[in-house]
Amino acid sequence: MAADRLDLPPVRLLPEDELARQALAAPLLQRAVLLARWAAPHVQVDAMGELAEADLRRAAAELGLEDEPDGLPDTAQAWGVAVDSGLVELEVDESAAEAAGLDEPAGQAAPGEALTQLDGGRPQDVLEVWLAAVETALAEAASPDLEGLLDDLGPDGEVDQDATGWDPEEEAEFLDGALGNLYLFSALEENETGTVPLPVLAASMVVPEEMEDPTDAVLEEVTEVMMRLDEHFRLLISTGLIDYEPVDEALIEEEDLEDDEAATMPQQLDPNEVSRYGLVRLTPLGVYGVRARMIETGVHAPASGDLADQPATELLEALFDYPDQAARREADQWLAARKPADAARELLHAARGDDRNAPARRLVAQQTLSLLGGEAEGALREVLEDRQLGGLARVWLAERDATDVPPPDEEMVFWLTIDTLAAQLDADDDAELLEELVTDLVARHDGFFSTAWRVDHPATADVLEAMGRLHPDKKLAKEARKAAFKARSANSV
């Protein structure tokens, strides 16, 4: 089973109509829509498609932002979103634009096709416009501060990027990486709310997995990343992508101090103080949006329910990589769409095979079949004599106290043991648990290795080699390695 096939755990998505309602309620899109309607029948714009200052002030009043400290910048942002998302369409005369200054009228703007699309009310259309608005907001969040750029203009009027230290592509990748990690936190089963302390998110982007105790230099880097994220996330709150409680301003002032000790993230955060360092989560709409953007780039990002109408082979291959609760939800939905007996037969058919992934498919099939009741008994009895399926069928029937089930012969018992171990070794990278499994198995079977090497299973030698590495008893580990050698020699004849 390919360990890297599942890029991300599956997420649960709200229905599209509910997501569309949330999108329309996002402040940034709300403002962009209001400005698109305000622009009817048209409004004058300059050569860059921006509003003249007088019109910008009228637009701010339309949004109720005229008295806000950031009213004009927020209005300009909403106007840019309206233009970039197609809510507003520009008609700029190129010849007039060349002759006009940036602050002089060079054309006009009118409500665009995307506004008509929104008015149509189809959830997919609403979400499409919202995603376009999000792209604009993300691009702006990754852009440098304009006032800071003006301070770094070269003699030719160009921005000296070396002086600013600003790389737009690197900043966009940084923001995408943060949203990707936040998406992963949202998908993890142990994080029910999806809320992540900002230092934890920053650490996930900086601290190597194998580093148990971060150095002061790494902690300082975590602090720097945290402050960069704080700036970005403050700009993204209005998009509806995230819920964000910003970093306490007092901490930001501390970070700006010359004293490195004051500016470095502490090793341990006081649980009562953690909110001061910022708290963030993807909203349900944000989960949808980040997933849509990742899929656009070719990332495999499954959603709960994706497999309900897929063949059993696709289900078994996918669920092997799913976290336990997600696998259970997906299996339940798949089974609900089929009659129990039909589902059992389809699962059993898909579980057959001698390829490398077959043991994993059979393990998942056994787990999925365990969710079925007595209606599936006939299908399980049909495969009692099947070399590959007879063992798991007997386990299923025994768990339900079925009668008249013929006992398995030794060959079937050992074949099922090797098959199950092959799947477990492929599935679990927890060496301690695997060692416990192997030790317990060998203890329950006298002379296990003297019989196991003869098992006609494609994975026999690999399983025995793994048991030799894992078993804590040196003598038994040596027996396992000898048995693996015998199995390989027998297969090479």
Side-chain angles (χ1 to χ4, degrees), residues 23 51 59 64 108 110 131 152 200 211 215 227 273 297 310 319 325 329 392 419 443 447 467 470:
L51 297 170
Q108 60 186 28
L131 283 169
D152 293 304
V200 173
M211 182 179 287
T215 63
M227 293 304 174
E273 294 280 304
T297 63
Q310 295 299 308
L319 294 196
Q325 293 180 27
R329 287 194 301 269
L392 69 84
D419 195 61
M467 294 178 77
L470 290 166

Side-chain angles (χ1 to χ4, degrees), residues 257-310:
L257 295 176
E258 299 258 338
D259 185 355
D260 285 341
E261 185 176 348
T264 300
M265 177 65 56
Q267 282 273 6
Q268 299 292 330
L269 294 177
D270 184 340
N272 297 321
E273 294 280 304
V274 69
S275 63
R276 293 188 65 209
Y277 291 86
L279 294 172
V280 62
R281 77 176 186 103
L282 286 180
T283 64
L285 182 62
V287 171
Y288 166 85
V290 174
R291 176 175 179 266
R293 297 181 76 246
M294 290 193 294
I295 290 174
E296 187 79 15
T297 63
V299 175
H300 177 48
S304 181
D306 280 354
L307 299 170
D309 59 351
Q310 295 299 308

Side-chain angles (χ1 to χ4, degrees), residues 278-455:
L279 294 172
V280 62
R281 77 176 186 103
L282 286 180
T283 64
L285 182 62
V287 171
Y288 166 85
V290 174
R291 176 175 179 266
R293 297 181 76 246
M294 290 193 294
I295 290 174
E296 187 79 15
T297 63
V299 175
H300 177 48
S304 181
D306 280 354
L307 299 170
D309 59 351
Q310 295 299 308
T313 302
E314 295 291 327
L315 177 80
L316 300 183
E317 292 276 353
L319 294 196
F320 183 74
D321 292 319
Y322 276 31
D324 290 343
Q325 293 180 27
R328 172 61 186 265
R329 287 194 301 269
E330 202 68 40
D332 282 337
Q333 292 181 74
W334 190 89
L335 292 171
R338 293 158 179 82
K339 294 180 179 178
D342 293 340
R345 290 187 178 94
E346 189 176 346
L347 289 167
L348 290 166
H349 178 75
R352 287 191 176 92
D354 290 319
D355 57 283
R356 184 176 181 275
N357 291 350
R361 288 200 305 274
R362 281 186 283 273
L363 179 63
V364 177
Q366 186 170 5
Q367 294 166 345
T368 306
L369 286 164
S370 70
L371 304 177
L372 292 173
E375 304 95 326
E377 182 172 336
L380 273 297
R381 287 187 178 274
E382 291 169 3
V383 298
L384 283 174
E385 302 308 315
D386 187 293
R387 179 176 65 92
Q388 296 182 348
L389 304 176
L392 69 84
R394 283 171 169 78
V395 171
W396 190 93
L397 291 165
E399 289 175 347
R400 285 153 184 78
D401 298 322
T403 57
D404 302 324
V405 180
D409 56 28
E410 184 178 70
E411 180 181 355
M412 182 174 286
V413 169
F414 272 82
W415 194 97
L416 179 61
T417 300
I418 294 294
D419 195 61
T420 303
L421 275 174
Q424 293 284 3
L425 289 166
D426 206 9
D428 205 333
D429 58 359
D430 189 326
E432 187 175 335
L433 288 176
L434 289 172
E435 179 183 309
E436 185 179 334
L437 174 66
V438 167
T439 303
D440 180 65
L441 178 65
V442 174
R444 287 189 286 108
H445 292 273
D446 291 336
F448 177 86
F449 296 115
S450 62
T451 302
W453 73 267
R454 305 175 190 273
V455 174

